Structure formats: C-alpha cells, structure tokens
Amino acid sequence: MVCRGIWNVHFRGKWYRSYYPHGRISPPDDESTFRMIKQLCDHPDHLEKWELVPFLSPIHSNLDYVYIIDQDAGVFLVSLWKELNGSLRPTAIRIDLTSLRESSRLFIKDSLEQHRSTSSDNIHQTNSDIRKPMTFRALDINFGIPTPLNELQERFLTDFVFVWRYYIDDPLTWTYSSPVFKVLSIAFLRLAAWDLELSSDCEVELPINFASIPSWNYPETNIYWFHGFLIILQEDIESEAMINRALEKAKPYIHDLHGHRDARLVLISPYHVTFVELSNDAVLVSESIALLTNHSAVHCSPGFRALNRIFTSDCWKKSLSDRERWRLNVPSEILYKILHELEPRDTVAFSQASFTATQYYYTSIPQIKDTVVQSFNSSIPCCGKQRGSGDNGVRCLVCYSWRHVACIGAENWSSDAQYVCMDCQGNMNFSAPHPGGINRVSCRKTREGCHISVGGSEKLLHLRLSKPSHLRRELRFLGNLVPIAPSLIEYTIRFNGSFSGLAYGLENKP
C-alpha cells in the first residue's frame, strides 16, 4: 500500500525533510518505514540528500502521514488525521526513540492503535468573559471608519490565512516555541502596515501545497520594534500575570519615558493581540482581541482589524508632526505621483521618510495606480458602501467591523452604548480555534473577489490559487471541450522581495 507523506528530521538544531514525487511514502506499520527509522537512528548525520528547511512541514489535506524523527528530543512522531465529531483533525502520536530502536515495526502499529495523542482536541481555550487586569487602566482606541486600504488589507489577511492554513491548523507547527509563529506573525504585521511590495512577476510557486514553505525573512527574537511600536511575542496574553511578564521584557527596550514621551506595545500570542500604552504615570491595557479563529480564512478577525487601523491611521500612533523635518511645500498631486512612480520597496521607504509622506501613503492605495475600491463587504458588511467619511456608524464590540447606524436602524444610537452585530450575537464567526478548524471551515468556500475600479474600468481582484492556464500543461488535454479562463496574474505580494503566497489577477465584473 502506498500512502502520501513527508519525512522530517531534527538533528543538531536543524530541520531536514525528504519526500518522493507526489509525496509517496509507505504506511507507518510497513517494513520499509521501520527500516528507514532504524537507518536514520543508526546514521543520523547521513542527510546529504535531504532538504534543509527552517522548520518541520505540517500535515496537509493531500497527505496521509507526516513522519518526524526528532533526534534532539529523542522522539518519533507520526502526524495524521483523526476523525472527531464528524470532522478530521490533525493529531500526533509520540513514540520514544529508545523504545523504538529495541522494538519491531509492530510496536509502531500498537502505538498507533493506542492513539496516544500529544495534542488535545482544543489546543487553545478562549475565554468569553475576558477581563482587563485589575492593576491596569483600560485602553480604549477609537478606530474610526475603515478606509479603502483597510478593505484590501482585510481581504489579504483572509486569503493569507487560507493559503497557509495547514501551518496554523497543525498543533506541531503553530505554537509559541515554533519558528512558524515568528514567520507568520511578521507577515500579519506587514499586511497590517502595508509594509509590502506588489510585483507583476507571475513566475511564482503556485499552487501553495504540502511542499511549500514560508520563505520570507523574520526577526529571530521575540521582541522588536516595528513602525514605531514595540512588538512582543508571547505564549499567552490573556492574564494579568502574562501581561506583567511582557512589560518586564519591554523594560530594556524603553529608556526615554520622560516628560510627554510614552511607548506603545503590541503583544501577540498565537491567537490574540493586546495593546499596551506606557507613560510615566499610567499603564493602559486593551482587552485581549482574537487574532486567529476557525473562521479567519473566511472572515477577517477583529485582532487584525485592530492591527491595520493602528498602523494605517493616527488613532493610536504617537504624533510625529512636532518632529517633522521635511519642510518642502509639495502639492498633494505631486506626492501621489511620486508614491505611484517609485519602485515597490522605495515606496515603502518613502512612506516612512516624513510625517507628511506617511499620511499620503495611507490615504491612497500604494503601488496600485488609479485604483478605487468599489465594495467594502469585509470591513463594512451592513451595505458594503463607505458612502462618506462623515457618516455616523458603530463598531461591533466583538468582531470590530463597522456599520452605518442607518443600516442597522439605530439613528438615535448613543455614542456611549455598546453594539454587537447579529452575526456575533449568534456566535457565527469567532468560534474557538482547534486543530484543523480553519481548513474545515474554509476548504469548500468560494474565494470572493474584491470589486475595484482600475483606470475607470470595473474589475474583480481575485486570489489566484494556481498558475495561469497557459502554463498548466494538464489543461491542454481538455482541448476545446470547455472554455478555460486565462487566470492571469497581475500582482504578487512580496515581503522584502520574498513571495508571500498571495497572487492576484483582474477579471471583468459580471
């Protein structure tokens, strides 16, 4: 019997992997699998033909098993799919390498049958009654009405989570101690700050599959500065003790809290984000906001909505106007022209050159010339229309989406009242994340395009999950039997030159 899977080996702090074309391997209780394990245990340094990778590859829907020999930890793990409550979830079976060396292949079979899982069914328990630490004052940020840029960012986030969902769904790769957490966290931050480059290069690795690896650079530390905010990665940020631990980590990075100076911290755990403001006389802490849920590949999470608002508006940024060094009186038309004529990386650098340039950068759609967002179905789901920046609206207390008071029939709504939308009242979008949850919710969902106007022509901006049709040899067998869309790639999103996994094409609006 032939199965599909990948071998991962962890040896002397480095990860290696091996797989045959289409991921063909033998089952766990097969004699050839046991021989491979014995060979790798007896000769752990014979990995010349193996691929050096930054972290282990997760279980994928196209795979039956992922074998992991962790020489450093002395364990052998089999990652596989387990049915629970009618759905498949990734599960890992742990076997001690010492015991395995002294046993036969039947020992693996017995261990699989006992199903000693290393991960619980709920890898993270969310608390529906999140309480602010009693020793801190509450931080309330008025995010305001979403901009066209925010709408695109929300689309990018859900598409990004969909593309890389197997890394998040697998509890072996999505933990605080895993490099995957650092890799994807910096990607979330770059998307939230529009710190990215749009390229017209369509020669990229598509589709993203079990062999794909997030390959962009990332900070190797758990604390670093990003766009004026101190980012702290932590295993948990839902308790007062954990927030205090984060503040202790921040102390060496903050030396100038004098007078009117203060610091703003963004705490990120594998599933939540929290904002902290430090000054001489107060510590303000926001509630813990969901950054990832089972529905994050379908509906933008409230945590990411909060992130993109703080990076792209002045709702919580420290004002830099008093330190503005650029005294040139440049007309706005010239600034917009400069932004759209620069190379992608230069555009990002130019946006941070001055307070004025930053404002113009985030009030446009950088790197996509003559583009107007026509629908706001993600950020303003009540009607999908921005209408005007002065329109009255309310923000949902749970999902952070924005709605016109007229659309929800609340023209006399008090600004002090708290609003929870109908979807959140029914707990539809933000269920607690569990292994395999993102794939289960999103795998059969159609990816909706974003209605935009480019140069006055209405288009749909669609995520591309495969190469353009003229590069797909398998489609040639269809001949003229069915019409095949060209599925051209107009834009690819890159992080400092590396492909993010996101590629988009323009289609005529039906």
Side-chain angles (χ1 to χ4, degrees), residues 81 88-90 168-171 294 434-441:
W81 295 99
L88 293 176
R89 300 187 180 187
I168 304 173
D169 270 345
D170 191 339
N294 285 337
H434 57 67
I438 294 177
N439 182 61
R440 181 181 60 81
V441 170

Side-chain angles (χ1 to χ4, degrees), residues 290-327:
L291 180 61
L292 285 171
T293 72
N294 285 337
H295 290 77
S296 289
V298 179
H299 302 287
C300 183
S301 67
F304 184 79
R305 285 192 175 115
L307 275 176
N308 70 29
R309 302 300 197 277
I310 70 164
F311 282 116
T312 62
S313 73
D314 59 357
C315 66
W316 193 48
K317 285 182 178 178
K318 291 189 291 185
S319 176
L320 302 178
S321 58
D322 60 327
R323 292 191 288 155
E324 179 66 79
R325 294 292 184 267
W326 191 15
R327 301 300 180 186

Side-chain angles (χ1 to χ4, degrees), residues 83 122 144 235 251 268 281 290 387 407 452 458 467 470:
E83 185 172 354
N122 291 308
E235 61 270 30
K251 283 183 178 179
I268 301 177
D281 57 354
R387 294 183 182 175
C407 290
I452 63 174
E458 292 195 3
K467 292 181 178 180
H470 69 277

Side-chain angles (χ1 to χ4, degrees), residues 206-208 463-469 472 474 487 489 503:
L206 286 177
I208 301 297
L463 176 69
R464 299 303 191 204
L465 299 174
S466 298
K467 292 181 178 180
S469 56
R472 299 172 61 190
E474 70 275 13
S487 299
I489 296 175

Side-chain angles (χ1 to χ4, degrees), residues 399-459:
C399 70
Y400 280 45
S401 62
W402 200 91
R403 285 168 171 79
H404 301 106
V405 292
C407 290
I408 61 174
E411 288 82 352
N412 297 321
W413 188 270
S414 171
S415 58
D416 298 328
Q418 295 181 334
Y419 170 76
V420 178
C421 70
M422 295 300 294
D423 287 347
C424 292
Q425 289 180 34
N427 196 28
M428 293 178 60
N429 297 339
F430 299 102
S431 54
H434 57 67
I438 294 177
N439 182 61
R440 181 181 60 81
V441 170
S442 63
C443 65
R444 292 183 175 84
K445 296 283 187 179
T446 302
R447 308 303 300 178
E448 296 183 358
C450 181
H451 293 259
I452 63 174
S453 172
V454 182
S457 177
E458 292 195 3
K459 300 286 184 179

